[in-house]
Amino acid sequence: MRLPKSKIQQLQYLEGRVDGWEENQAAIGVPLELAASAKTKTEAARTAWEAYQLKRQEASDARVLWLDAIGGAVDDGRGCIRAIDAFAKNNANPDAIYALASIAPPKEREPLGKPATPTDLEIVLDTEGRANLRWGGTRQGGTVFTVQRRTTSTAGQTGPWTTLVTVSERAFIDLATPSGVQSVGYRVRAERFAGPSAYSLPVTLPLGAGGNQQEVAGAIAPATAPEKDAG
């Protein structure tokens, strides 16, 4: 089949040929009735295509009008709701005001509970030999993050977790990264007024100072500088 794949290209292909097929139908072996039908249907397809394009433009224009109209209505509607809220708050019977306005009273904010445990802790040594850490977690409600570290000596003895810092960002550079040890591990927990989360899975970075390396329970990421981010 020599016809192109797209519909508009098929139409253009036929438009460039049906007149010749009709004029030369006997010489090229096409029945006159078939050639005439192909020309008529091609012309009808062009008319339908142009009508379709017109409707598409009309629909696009109508959508713009709809979005503009609903945008204005929503802005005014929000203004009405704000006015109702302000009026109800200063009324002895606010529920009656909301009922009359056919809107639900605003819900009282529930206090935030403990934050979720940080996830996706990653660690890498930069060119200056410092451990760069990143992790995922919410910063909602003033959440901060406490970072702990522990080391494993060249003799294979793992020390206790010690707290390094509490930060508000989801990234930390350990400016005092230990050296001369088999490995160094980090973990992070989230904290806010309601209490702390559990600690994340630890990440252990082998430093290659002898001994068998510990299993990494996190991710060792490519070296990138930490960025401040919102959450």
Side-chain angles (χ1 to χ4, degrees), residues 93-111:
N93 190 0
D95 288 343
I97 302 299
Y98 288 118
L100 186 61
S102 300
I103 63 174
K107 293 183 178 179
E108 294 185 7
R109 287 189 176 182
E110 297 181 0

Side-chain angles (χ1 to χ4, degrees), residues 131-201:
N132 286 241
L133 285 82
R134 291 175 178 272
W135 58 88
T138 180
R139 293 172 59 191
Q140 186 179 11
T143 300
V144 295
F145 303 93
T146 293
V147 180
Q148 288 194 333
R149 179 183 70 201
R150 71 179 178 187
T151 59
T152 298
S153 71
T154 55
Q157 295 177 330
T158 300
W161 288 105
T162 58
T163 298
L164 296 181
V165 69
T166 297
V167 295
S168 59
E169 302 300 327
R170 289 169 290 202
F172 170 66
I173 299 176
D174 186 358
L175 301 179
T177 303
S179 60
V181 295
Q182 176 181 315
S183 62
V184 58
Y186 295 88
R187 66 181 185 178
V188 183
R189 75 178 183 185
E191 300 175 4
R192 60 178 171 228
F193 184 78
S197 72
Y199 277 99
S200 67
L201 288 172

Side-chain angles (χ1 to χ4, degrees), residues 16-81:
R17 290 163 176 79
V18 289
D19 284 342
W21 291 349
E22 185 179 39
E23 292 173 6
N24 303 300
Q25 54 85 25
I28 60 177
V30 177
L32 177 60
E33 183 178 349
L34 179 59
S37 177
K39 179 179 178 180
T40 299
K41 290 179 179 177
T42 297
E43 292 171 347
R46 169 57 65 180
T47 300
W49 167 256
E50 292 175 352
Y52 170 55
Q53 294 305 305
L54 179 61
K55 293 295 182 181
R56 287 182 62 181
Q57 185 59 50
E58 289 174 351
S60 178
D61 294 342
R63 184 175 184 274
V64 171
L65 292 175
W66 145 247
L67 293 176
D68 183 64
I70 190 59
V74 166
D75 288 344
D76 286 354
R78 286 176 175 157
C80 290
I81 292 172

